[in-house]
Amino acid sequence: FSSPGNLGEVAPEIKASERRTAVAIADLEWREMEGDDCEFRYGDGTNEAQDNDFPTVERSRLQEMLSLLGLETYQVQKLSLQDSLQISFDSMKNWAPQVPKDLPWNFLRKLQALNADARNTTMVLDVLPDARPVEKESQMEEEIIYWDPADDLAADIYSFSELPTPDTPVNPLDLLCALLISSDSFLQQEIVLKMALCQFALPLVLPDSENHYHTFLLWAMRGIVRTWWSQPQRGVGSFREDSVVLSRAPAFAFVRMDVSSNSKSQLLNAVLSPGHRQWDCFWHRDLNLGTNAREISDGLVEMSWFFPSGREDLDIFPEPVTFLNLRGDIGSHWLQFKLLTEISSAVFILTDNISKKEYKLLYSMKESTTKYYFILSPYRGKRNTNLRFLNKLIPVLKIDHSHVLVKVSSTDSDSFVKRIRAIIGNVLRAPCRRVSVEDMAHAARKLGLKVDEDCEECQKAKDRMERITRKIKDSDAYRRDELRLQGDPWRKAAQVEKEFCQLQWAVDPPEKHRAELRRRLLELRMQQNSHDPSSGVQEFISGISSPSLSEKQYFLRWMEWGLARVAQPRLRQPPETLLTLRPKHGGATDLGEPLWPEPLGVEHFLREMGQFYEAESCLVEAGRLPAGQRRFAHFPGLASELLLTGLPLELIDGSTLSMPIRWVTGLLKELHVRLERRSRLVVLSTLGVPGTGKSTLLNTMFGLRFATGKSCSPRGAFMQLITVAEGFSQDLGCDHILVIDSGGLIGGALTSAGDRFELEASLATLLMGLSNVTVISLAETKDIPAAILHAFLRLEKTGHMPNYQFVYQNLHDVSVPGPRPRDKRQLLDPPGDLSRAAAQMEKQSDGFRALAGLAFCDPEKQHIWHIPGLWHGAPPMAAVSLAYSEAIFELKRCLLENIRNGLSNQNKNIQQLIELVRRL
C-alpha cells in the first residue's frame, strides 16, 4: 500500500473489525520503512489498551450468533443430554435445515447417529430464489437510514451487517462453539464422545469471545477410550486400551502467525491420512462452507490423535501422537499459544509475513524448550523482512535453517507431507515431552484458563468415588467381602425361587416339597437381611441420594471410570466360550455358577441395593418383619430416578441369570409415581449373540449408553428409558420407550442338549414377551440362535407376538451387498435340525414350520435389514461409515413408524407392564 490509510479504498470488502487489524499491521510496516521505531498503534492513532470498541463488537457477535441459532434461551438453563435425546416428529424424517435455528438440532441428531456429514451446515431455503436478496437489501437500507451517526459504534456498522443472516450459512466451527457454550457438562461430554467416534477433531480449549474467559474441556474428554497397537522395543506387541485423558503421548501444535497462504488444517489432515485416502479430521477452507468467516470460534484449540494399528502399510508413526490446532492468529490468542508451547514437543508456525509485532511475541518465548518450525510462503509475503527477522530468531529459539520450510504453489504436496512426517519422526526418536490431557489441564490452570472439571459438584463427586475405589485392591475379594449379598445366598435364593415357580405349573405339586422350598428361601433371605450395607455401599447410596441432580450424575460417571481403572479379574477362558456353562462331575449343568467373571461396575452396587430390598420385602410378605421396621423401602425410588436421568439399569441379573422380581416391580412402581400421567410405554428389545453389534446399534439409533464389547461388558439384560416429546406423544401413542438390551444372555447354542438351551430359550421368551418390538441382530444370514426359534414357538402359543425386525450386520466388509430375496427366504427357513429340536421341546407333532409361517413375516416387506459395516477404514483410525449411519436411521424410522401405526402390538402403561413382568 502507498500508505496505511488507503486500505479501505483498495480492500472495501474487508470487514470493519478485520480492516482495523490490517490497518494496524500496515501502519507498523509503514513506520518501519520510515525508520520509526515506535509502539504498536492502530491506523486511527489508538493503541490496543485504548481501543474499547472492538471488545464490545466481540460481545455482540457472540450474542448475535446465539440468537441466530436459537440458543440464547439456554444461557442460564443449559441444554441437557436428555433434551437432545427426546423422540419427536423430526426423529422420523431425514430433513435438511431450512433456517439457522434448525442447525443445532440437525447437528445433534446427525452426531447421535454418527453421521460423517454432521458438520455440514448447508441450509435448504424454503423461499423463492429471487425473493430473499430483495428482502435483505431492503432490510440493510432501513438499517442505514435509522442508524444514529452519533453512536460510538457507528464506525463498526459493517461489522454488524456482516454477521450471518438467516440465508447465510454458518461456519461449522461457530456452530460447534455456540452449541458447547449452550450445553451442560454431560451434553458437552456426549458431543465430544460422538465426535471422537466420527474421527472429527475435538475441541480442547473453548473460546469465550464475550468474557475472554476460555475453558479447557477436560471433563468433556473423560469418556473417550481408545485401543491401539503397542510395540515395545523388545518383546511381543499387543493391543492396549486406555483413556485418552490419562495416556501420555508427544504433542505437536500447528499455529498461524498473521497470514498464511497454506492451510494448517489441510496440512494436518494430510499428515494424519495414510496412503491416498484423505480424511478431513480438521475442517478446512476447501470444504463446503470452509471459507465462511468465523465469527466466534477464533481462539478455539482442537485436538486429534494418531494411533497405530500394527499394520506397516497404515502406521505412519510407531506410537500414539497428539496433534493440536489453534484457530486464528497467535497474536490475537496469545494465551492459547502460550499453552501450546508449554505442552507440545514441537510447534509448527505457518506464516507469510514475520512483522515486528510477531517477532516480539516469539522473542518472549526464548526460555521455552519446545522446538519451533516455520512453514513459509515467501513469494506472497515480504521476503527480505522475513529473512531479517528469522536471522534474529535463530539464536533466540535455538533453531537452524532446517527448521525453516518453504511451501509455495509449485511445491509437491506429497513430498512436503513426507518431510513433515520425517521431522515428527525425528522428534519422537529423541527424548521428548510426553503429556496426557490431564497434564495439559494442569498447565492450563497455571496460565489462568478455566478447567470445566474444577466445579464444586464435580470435585465432590470425584472425592466420593475415590473414597470407594481406594479400598478396592482386588475385584473378586471386594465383591466377596463388601458386596456380600451377591454371593452364594443370592445364587441359592434365585435357584430356590426358580424351583418354587416351576411347582406352580405342576399338575399335583407335593405340599411338603413346596413348604420345604419356602422354608429354605426364608432362611436365605433372613441370612441376607442380617447384614448391613458395607461402607462402600453406604457411600454409593449417599452419592445417588444427593439432592443435586448434577452432583448425582457426576458421581455416577466418576464411578464408571473409577471402577474401570481398578484391577479387573483375568478372564479364565477365551471370549468365544464365555457362555459355556461348566459341567459338574456327573455331567449336569449348574445354573447357579457364574458364566464368566464380570468386570466390577456400577451395576454391582445397584444389585446389592436390590438384594437388600428383595430380602426385606420377602420377610415382610412372610410376616417375619413388621412393615414399620423396613430400612430399605426407599431404594427403588433412588433407582427409578437414575433411570429417568438416562442410566441403564439391570433387568435380568447377570450373575444368576434371573430377575429379582420384587426389586424390578418396586422400581417400576416408583417410576409410575414419578411419571404420573405420562406413563404409556412401548417396550423395544434386542436379541442376538454377543458380538453381533446389537448394543452399538441401539446406542447409535437412540443415543443410549449400553456397554459394548463382549469380553468386558456386563452379562445381564439392561433397560434404559427414552422420553417422547409431549407434542409428539399423542401421535406416536406412547410417552416413553423402554429399550432392553439382552447383553450376553443368548449364547447361540446350536443344539438342544443340556440345560443351557432351556435357559437361553426361557430368557429369550421373557424378553420377547415383554416387548412390543423386538430387533434380532444376526452376524450371518443363517445365524438365528435356536433359543430365539424356541421363543417364537412358545410366544405363538400365547398369542403374543411382537413386531420384529431381523438385522443382518456385516461385521467385516463395507462393500458386501445386502442379502438378495432368496437369501432373505433362507434366513427365514432355519436348518432342519434346529427346527426339529425346537419342535420336540414344544412337543409339536406336526413338526416345525418355517419361521416365515409363524407370523406376519413377508420377506419382501422389510422385516429383514442389511446394515453395512460399522467402520470406514481400519481401526483405530477408522471413522464410522456413512452407509452404516444412514442404514441405522432408516431402521429407526421404520420402528417408529410401526409404533405409530399400531403394528407393535398393544402399547401398555407401566402398571400393565408390572403385571406382565409378574406373569412372565
Side-chain angles (χ1 to χ4, degrees):
F1 309 110
S2 57
S3 69
N6 68 354
L7 176 62
E9 300 172 15
V10 299
E13 75 281 0
I14 299 179
K15 293 185 297 185
S17 60
E18 294 176 352
R19 186 181 304 123
R20 293 171 59 79
T21 305
V23 166
I25 295 170
D27 185 30
L28 177 63
E29 294 181 350
W30 179 266
R31 291 172 188 243
E32 286 174 357
M33 286 188 288
E34 295 296 316
D36 187 7
D37 186 12
C38 63
E39 68 174 329
F40 179 72
R41 289 181 176 273
Y42 286 110
D44 58 3
T46 62
N47 61 25
E48 290 180 282
Q50 295 171 339
D51 182 43
N52 294 321
D53 291 346
F54 186 65
T56 306
V57 174
E58 284 297 310
R59 285 196 296 272
S60 299
R61 296 188 89 76
L62 176 60
Q63 293 304 319
E64 286 292 325
M65 180 60 69
L66 294 173
S67 176
L68 181 73
L69 296 173
L71 296 173
E72 70 275 13
T73 57
Y74 297 107
Q75 298 316 295
V76 178
Q77 184 69 33
K78 299 291 187 180
L79 188 64
S80 72
L81 178 58
Q82 294 304 103
D83 293 335
S84 70
L85 298 181
Q86 280 194 358
I87 301 291
S88 66
F89 181 75
D90 291 335
S91 303
M92 297 181 61
K93 60 180 184 178
N94 193 7
W95 57 280
Q98 296 182 352
V99 294
K101 291 185 179 181
D102 294 338
L103 292 175
W105 304 103
N106 183 67
F107 175 78
L108 286 173
R109 257 183 225 103
K110 285 190 173 182
L111 198 61
Q112 173 190 308
L114 304 178
N115 191 308
D117 287 338
R119 295 179 295 185
N120 190 341
T121 59
T122 303
M123 291 176 287
V124 178
L125 300 178
D126 192 18
V127 295
L128 294 176
D130 56 345
R132 181 67 57 145
V134 175
E135 181 184 356
K136 181 179 178 182
E137 184 176 324
S138 62
Q139 288 176 349
M140 186 177 293
E141 184 180 354
E142 184 178 350
E143 238 179 57
I144 296 173
I145 291 172
Y146 291 99
W147 189 271
D148 182 4
D151 196 317
D152 290 336
L153 297 178
D156 292 306
I157 179 173
Y158 296 106
S159 186
F160 285 97
S161 63
E162 293 285 340
L163 278 166
T165 59
D167 58 348
T168 303
V170 176
N171 188 289
L173 295 176
D174 287 340
L175 172 62
L176 175 63
C177 288
L179 190 54
L180 290 171
I181 288 171
S182 307
S183 303
D184 69 11
S185 298
F186 306 99
L187 181 54
Q188 285 182 350
Q189 197 173 81
E190 186 71 9
I191 289 171
V192 171
L193 176 61
K194 298 291 188 183
M195 289 179 68
L197 288 171
C198 292
Q199 292 290 4
F200 296 161
L202 307 182
L204 182 67
V205 176
L206 182 64
D208 182 351
S209 58
E210 180 170 296
N211 302 308
H212 300 284
Y213 196 36
H214 312 303
T215 304
F216 188 96
L217 299 178
L218 175 62
W219 170 262
M221 296 272 186
R222 278 280 175 194
I224 304 174
V225 176
R226 300 299 290 267
T227 303
W228 65 91
W229 181 260
S230 178
Q231 180 65 59
Q233 291 183 351
R234 296 179 181 179
V236 180
S238 61
F239 281 103
R240 177 186 171 189
E241 182 180 272
D242 202 356
S243 164
V244 298
V245 168
L246 301 175
S247 59
R248 287 186 166 89
F252 295 86
F254 286 70
V255 300
R256 171 172 60 84
M257 186 169 67
D258 193 13
V259 178
S260 174
S261 307
N262 298 307
S263 168
K264 300 191 312 300
S265 302
Q266 276 184 300
L267 180 59
L268 276 165
N269 291 339
V271 170
L272 282 166
S273 300
H276 297 288
R277 186 184 68 85
Q278 175 93 2
W279 177 251
D280 295 315
C281 176
F282 292 90
W283 195 264
H284 58 84
R285 63 178 67 161
D286 282 356
L287 290 174
N288 185 24
L289 307 173
T291 56
N292 284 56
R294 295 193 296 269
E295 304 294 341
I296 63 171
S297 56
D298 273 352
L300 173 70
V301 177
E302 296 173 291
M303 165 184 275
S304 188
W305 293 269
F306 172 82
F307 291 103
S309 63
R311 291 177 50 179
E312 292 184 3
D313 58 327
L314 296 178
D315 288 350
I316 302 167
F317 305 109
E319 62 176 296
V321 181
T322 304
F323 291 91
L324 302 162
N325 182 19
L326 171 62
R327 299 288 181 167
D329 167 46
I330 63 173
S332 304
H333 308 287
W334 179 247
L335 191 61
Q336 288 93 319
F337 178 61
K338 178 70 172 172
L339 173 65
L340 295 183
T341 62
E342 293 194 5
I343 63 179
S344 300
S345 298
V347 176
F348 291 82
I349 302 173
L350 285 76
T351 187
D352 291 352
N353 300 310
I354 303 178
S355 66
K356 190 170 186 178
K357 178 185 177 183
E358 279 73 34
Y359 167 75
K360 289 181 177 179
L361 292 177
L362 293 174
Y363 186 83
S364 67
M365 308 304 298
K366 60 184 178 181
E367 303 299 328
S368 173
T369 58
T370 302
K371 298 179 184 294
Y372 293 90
Y373 294 87
F374 290 86
I375 300 176
L376 304 176
S377 296
Y379 299 119
R380 295 179 179 270
K382 292 189 168 185
R383 186 170 184 175
N384 293 334
T385 306
N386 288 343
L387 291 174
R388 177 159 54 94
F389 284 121
L390 277 173
N391 286 327
K392 292 181 179 180
L393 287 172
I394 283 176
V396 173
L397 300 180
K398 304 176 184 65
I399 62 176
D400 55 36
H401 293 289
S402 67
H403 289 234
V404 180
L405 292 78
V406 176
K407 186 178 187 301
V408 294
S409 57
S410 59
T411 304
D412 180 67
S413 297
D414 291 341
S415 299
F416 190 80
V417 168
K418 288 179 181 177
R419 189 175 177 189
I420 297 293
R421 290 175 178 172
I423 291 172
I424 294 173
N426 290 334
V427 175
L428 295 177
R429 284 188 288 273
C432 65
R433 179 186 296 145
R434 283 172 167 78
V435 293
S436 66
V437 178
E438 278 193 343
D439 297 331
M440 297 178 186
H442 184 63
R445 290 187 186 98
K446 287 185 176 181
L447 292 172
L449 273 75
K450 171 186 173 184
V451 178
D452 58 352
E453 207 170 88
D454 290 349
C455 68
E456 182 181 0
E457 290 176 323
C458 182
Q459 290 304 308
K460 286 175 64 177
K462 182 181 180 181
D463 292 342
R464 191 184 297 277
M465 175 272 293
E466 289 176 343
R467 288 197 293 271
I468 296 173
T469 56
R470 70 166 61 106
K471 297 180 180 179
I472 305 175
K473 308 302 181 185
D474 177 80
S475 297
D476 289 335
Y478 186 85
R479 272 184 280 203
R480 183 178 60 251
D481 300 334
E482 299 292 320
L483 306 177
R484 295 182 289 267
L485 272 62
Q486 296 173 54
D488 288 337
W490 167 221
R491 279 198 290 272
K492 291 176 181 177
Q495 190 64 33
V496 170
E497 288 188 333
K498 286 178 183 178
E499 293 180 30
F500 191 81
C501 182
Q502 289 168 359
L503 281 181
Q504 299 179 28
W505 301 97
V507 178
D508 188 17
E511 187 59 37
K512 184 178 179 180
H513 187 41
R514 187 195 296 269
E516 175 62 19
L517 289 176
R518 187 181 293 110
R519 183 191 64 78
R520 283 168 53 194
L521 180 62
L522 285 175
E523 282 183 359
L524 291 167
R525 291 305 189 188
M526 289 178 69
Q527 179 183 343
Q528 286 182 309
N529 196 60
S530 65
H531 294 288
D532 290 322
S534 65
S535 59
V537 174
Q538 290 180 22
E539 194 74 63
F540 179 84
I541 294 169
S542 298
I544 65 173
S545 302
S546 171
S548 167
L549 177 60
S550 294
E551 185 177 334
K552 188 186 306 183
Q553 291 177 297
Y554 277 122
F555 171 69
L556 289 168
R557 295 290 174 92
W558 277 120
M559 281 295 293
E560 290 175 9
W561 302 325
L563 293 172
R565 297 295 298 178
V566 300
Q568 302 294 352
R570 182 178 59 86
L571 291 177
R572 289 184 284 270
Q573 44 191 329
E576 292 76 11
T577 60
L578 290 178
L579 284 161
T580 303
L581 294 170
R582 288 174 286 183
K584 287 184 174 179
H585 296 295
T589 304
D590 182 7
L591 298 181
E593 287 292 317
L595 299 186
W596 79 72
E598 289 182 289
L600 185 63
V602 170
E603 66 275 4
H604 289 88
F605 289 84
L606 289 167
R607 195 183 290 171
E608 188 79 357
M609 291 173 59
Q611 283 308 299
F612 275 110
Y613 180 82
E614 282 270 330
E616 189 177 76
S617 299
C618 182
L619 296 181
V620 171
E621 291 171 8
R624 299 293 185 93
L625 181 70
Q629 294 182 15
R630 298 196 65 164
R631 296 181 295 163
F632 311 120
H634 64 293
F635 280 5
L638 295 177
S640 67
E641 290 174 1
L642 302 185
L643 190 62
L644 287 170
T645 61
L647 182 74
L649 294 185
E650 198 171 44
L651 177 67
I652 295 178
D653 190 314
S655 65
T656 62
L657 300 184
S658 62
M659 180 185 289
I661 189 72
R662 299 173 185 85
W663 171 246
V664 171
T665 54
L667 189 157
L668 291 174
K669 286 178 182 176
E670 291 292 336
L671 184 65
H672 179 66
V673 171
R674 282 161 173 75
L675 293 179
E676 297 178 344
R677 295 177 293 104
R678 303 202 70 218
S679 62
R680 295 177 302 161
L681 279 181
V682 163
V683 180
L684 185 152
S685 64
T686 60
L687 292 175
V689 298
T692 54
K694 57 188 180 303
S695 302
T696 301
L697 182 146
L698 289 175
N699 293 346
T700 306
M701 196 183 304
F702 296 110
L704 303 179
R705 297 181 53 214
F706 292 120
T708 58
K710 65 181 179 180
S711 63
C712 59
S713 60
R715 192 170 52 243
F718 284 76
M719 57 183 174
Q720 190 169 347
L721 197 67
I722 309 173
T723 301
V724 178
E726 289 196 35
F728 187 52
S729 60
Q730 194 63 35
D731 190 19
L732 193 62
C734 64
D735 302 305
H736 294 83
I737 298 177
L738 187 68
V739 182
I740 301 175
D741 179 15
S742 64
L745 296 181
I746 310 301
L750 298 180
T751 71
S752 60
D755 294 330
R756 172 185 169 186
F757 183 92
E758 173 59 34
L759 175 62
E760 290 187 8
S762 297
L763 293 170
T765 305
L766 171 62
L767 293 179
M768 291 174 65
L770 292 175
S771 305
N772 301 97
V773 182
T774 297
V775 176
I776 299 172
S777 181
L778 307 172
E780 305 291 343
T781 51
K782 298 181 181 179
D783 189 25
I784 302 178
I788 294 178
L789 300 179
H790 176 77
F792 271 110
L793 282 173
R794 190 177 276 185
L795 287 172
E796 189 190 27
K797 286 183 177 182
T798 68
H800 174 89
M801 186 66 70
N803 175 272
Y804 54 92
Q805 308 288 327
F806 288 93
V807 176
Y808 163 56
Q809 297 208 55
N810 175 16
L811 303 179
H812 304 291
D813 186 6
V814 179
S815 61
V816 174
R820 299 181 297 277
R822 64 183 181 89
D823 297 323
K824 293 183 179 182
R825 175 61 63 182
Q826 290 172 357
L827 179 61
L828 298 178
D829 291 336
D833 56 342
L834 295 185
S835 306
R836 286 188 293 273
Q840 289 171 6
M841 290 188 69
E842 289 302 319
K843 299 180 175 58
Q844 289 191 2
S845 58
D846 59 344
F848 182 83
R849 302 192 311 277
L851 185 58
L854 280 178
F856 42 87
C857 187
D858 183 349
E860 305 303 325
K861 292 185 178 178
Q862 286 200 326
H863 281 276
I864 300 171
W865 296 81
H866 169 74
I867 305 296
L870 173 64
W871 301 114
H872 179 63
M877 294 302 293
V880 175
S881 77
L882 184 60
Y884 177 86
S885 174
E886 291 174 344
I888 292 295
F889 173 80
E890 284 303 315
L891 175 59
K892 175 182 179 180
R893 184 193 58 76
C894 176
L895 294 176
L896 293 177
E897 195 68 49
N898 287 346
I899 292 172
R900 187 168 70 166
N901 293 336
L903 299 179
S904 59
N905 213 321
Q906 185 177 2
N907 298 346
K908 51 184 79 73
N909 59 37
I910 294 179
Q911 290 177 319
Q912 292 171 327
L913 178 62
I914 293 171
E915 182 58 32
L916 187 59
V917 166
R918 286 197 181 109
R919 286 194 286 115
L920 284 169

